Amino acid sequence: MTAYNQLPDAELTTLLQGGDQAAFTEIYSRHWKLIYAHVYKMLREEDDAKDIVQEVFGNLWSRAASIKNNTNISGLLYTAARNKVFDLIEKNKVRTDYVGEIASFLSDQRNYQVDTIDEKRIMEILEREIQKLPPKMREIFELSRKEQLSHKEIAAKLNISEQTVKKQVQNTLKVIKPKLNDLGISVAFLLLLR
């Protein structure tokens, strides 16, 4: 029987290419902490860092057969993790830009007088702006607000952490709620966004 913890990365990578689960487990055990530390150092957010590391290793396993020969597995993992961090940062930037557009649209006094905006009209405005959101953000928002799913149910449905769902919803609402308050929108409407 092979002692996987004694094998160098290159041999483990070759075994991994052949679908060897024990080789994958050893690579995971050997590199998880280092990749997590690398990601956490960039993000400073524990749940996002864990999500990214899990995704990196999940992708490694699902794409094991396509890994090129003589690949430095450590370098591959670091590069994949770094790219996932950049993707997350870009997605968060896009999300913030869209949420800012919603808030700006709702607070534009030139287009709508506060006194004449009713809940139906606000919902129409919000719905139109929600449709402009990035697909994943929109999906989480709609599952939470339209289908009334809990964060736990959304996390299970989308295969992401419950904390990630909670954070995305909270970040969106932190921007939208103050703008609605500024417009004098009723507490009843704010309850729709709780």
Side-chain angles (χ1 to χ4, degrees), residues 46-64:
E46 187 177 342
D47 289 322
D48 285 344
K50 285 180 180 177
D51 287 347
I52 284 175
V53 173
Q54 288 304 111
E55 191 173 346
V56 165
F57 280 99
N59 288 342
L60 178 69
W61 176 250
S62 65
R63 297 178 181 152

Side-chain angles (χ1 to χ4, degrees), residues 13-61:
T13 303
T14 301
L15 292 169
L16 175 64
Q17 289 170 310
D20 189 321
Q21 192 168 0
F24 171 78
T25 301
E26 177 59 30
I27 290 169
Y28 182 89
S29 298
R30 196 175 287 185
H31 294 282
W32 187 91
K33 285 183 183 176
L34 293 172
I35 298 300
Y36 173 78
H38 176 66
V39 171
Y40 181 80
K41 186 176 179 182
M42 290 190 282
L43 293 177
R44 297 287 183 206
E45 213 301 308
E46 187 177 342
D47 289 322
D48 285 344
K50 285 180 180 177
D51 287 347
I52 284 175
V53 173
Q54 288 304 111
E55 191 173 346
V56 165
F57 280 99
N59 288 342
L60 178 69
W61 176 250

Side-chain angles (χ1 to χ4, degrees), residues 128-139:
R128 188 167 50 235
E129 293 305 308
I130 288 167
Q131 294 309 310
K132 294 179 184 177
L133 293 171
K136 198 60 139 182
M137 183 182 178
R138 183 176 67 236
E139 184 177 17

Side-chain angles (χ1 to χ4, degrees), residues 148-167:
Q148 302 297 312
L149 296 181
S150 68
H151 292 170
K152 186 174 186 175
E153 291 168 325
I154 296 169
K157 185 171 187 166
L158 300 180
N159 200 24
I160 57 177
S161 78
E162 188 174 342
Q163 187 62 34
T164 299
V165 172
K166 181 178 178 182
K167 186 176 177 190

